[in-house]
Amino acid sequence: MATLAAPAFAQAPWPNRPVRILVGFPAGGTTDILGRLAAQILQESLGQPFVVENRPGAGSNIAAQAVLRSPADGYTLLLGSPGTNAINPHLYANAGFDPLKDFLPIGQIAEVPNLIAAHPGVGARDAAALIALAKQRTLSYGETSIGGSTHLAAELFRLMGGFEATHVSYRGSAPMMTDLLPGRIDFGCDNLPSIMPHIRSGALVAIGVTSAERWPANPEIPAIAETLPGYEVTAWFGLVAPRGTPPEIIARTNAALRAGLEKPEIVSRMAELGARPLPGTPEVYQARNEREFVRLGDLIRRVGIRAE
């Protein structure tokens, strides 16, 4: 009797079950909020749940390593940040991954500037005045994460401004504000959405945004680059997948993400957060990662920053 061949079953198209997006920071911060916006966009477009999982720790290294240990099948993605994309391999003795080799870029989500702000008692109202004061007497400054974009933004300001200052590191925005608001430190650098309420209330003075130009949502605040040409340290966020993820999954995710980021309601929500949507191709995202990997790595070496 002839043996009947087993029927061939076509593989169900991706995605046919929930997709995880790992975020390397606690819930409620900018990275988490942007991850949830991306999840919303993809869920509405692709018809499956996209679930954010917060895996904080070691500057997002824990989340990145967890994604790399997952199958490259499109069901576990990483919310990429400056730490995972460019900073951590220079900062940690063993970050556990190479962002340019171990991950495939899907697409950028948004860019967020930082803001350097001073206590009103310092007496400086702009970058030039703060630099002049710092050359006359030793000022103190804070940032919200060792080796993070706020730390690098503050250090580049100091280096390009040509002054020395007393550095105080904090674990997050809230601890830094407990010292900056009463004037126990002179100035600090934080993510723009986090610090703007204190600027609006008059509790702090906006010295300048860390983007290359004035930020569209807050055009009244000068860019540090107006005083120090070439200055720029922002935070950029996007989705990446483990290397080996099928190209058709990358392409489909990118198309859905780009279309969603162009919707008026998403653009409006981004503006509320102080962020700018960055719809674009995987190639554009990778080019930025490569450029910043070199530039920020050089800055980390110049300053001598190491994570403990």
Side-chain angles (χ1 to χ4, degrees), residues 59-298:
S60 285
N61 287 350
I62 291 173
Q65 292 166 13
V67 171
L68 285 181
R69 290 194 299 268
S70 302
D73 56 6
Y75 287 99
T76 305
L77 308 177
L78 176 69
L79 197 289
S81 65
T84 58
N85 293 7
I87 294 173
N88 290 4
H90 304 289
L91 189 65
Y92 291 84
N94 182 17
F97 61 92
D98 182 328
L100 302 182
K101 295 179 180 179
D102 293 335
F103 293 107
L104 294 177
I106 294 173
Q108 294 185 93
I109 298 170
E111 180 180 27
V112 178
N114 297 304
L115 176 68
I116 292 176
H119 186 271
V122 173
R125 310 293 300 183
D126 56 37
L130 187 60
I131 290 169
L133 277 174
K135 290 181 177 179
Q136 295 171 11
R137 58 186 175 89
T138 302
L139 300 180
S140 56
Y141 68 101
E143 39 75 17
T144 62
S145 175
I146 281 286
S149 68
T150 62
H151 187 185
L152 297 184
E155 291 292 355
L156 187 61
F157 178 63
R158 183 184 64 77
L159 286 174
M160 292 183 70
F163 63 88
E164 296 296 328
T166 301
H167 171 224
V168 184
S169 183
Y170 299 88
R171 295 192 177 208
S173 175
M176 184 181 76
M177 288 303 161
T178 62
D179 280 351
L180 181 57
L181 289 173
R184 286 192 285 268
I185 58 173
D186 296 307
F187 69 95
C189 185
D190 198 358
N191 178 268
L192 183 140
S194 299
I195 205 169
M196 275 307 297
H198 302 297
I199 302 299
R200 295 191 182 102
S201 72
L204 296 175
V205 176
I207 297 299
V209 292
T210 66
S211 47
E213 300 175 343
R214 296 192 182 206
W215 199 244
N218 304 94
E220 74 282 5
I221 301 177
I224 298 293
E226 294 174 29
T227 300
L228 300 174
Y231 177 93
E232 181 185 11
V233 181
T234 61
W236 72 105
F237 304 89
L239 286 176
V240 299
R243 182 162 296 280
T245 300
E248 58 270 20
I249 291 177
I250 300 291
R252 189 171 186 212
T253 310
N254 174 265
L257 184 63
R258 290 172 68 180
L261 290 173
E262 292 172 347
K263 291 182 177 180
E265 62 269 27
I266 296 296
V267 174
S268 176
R269 176 64 176 138
M270 290 277 193
E272 292 174 3
L273 296 170
R276 178 175 63 185
L278 293 176
T281 65
E283 291 76 19
V284 168
Y285 188 17
Q286 184 70 353
R288 181 172 197 165
N289 292 338
E290 292 174 355
R291 181 174 67 251
E292 294 292 75
F293 185 89
V294 173
R295 189 174 76 93
L296 297 181
D298 178 65

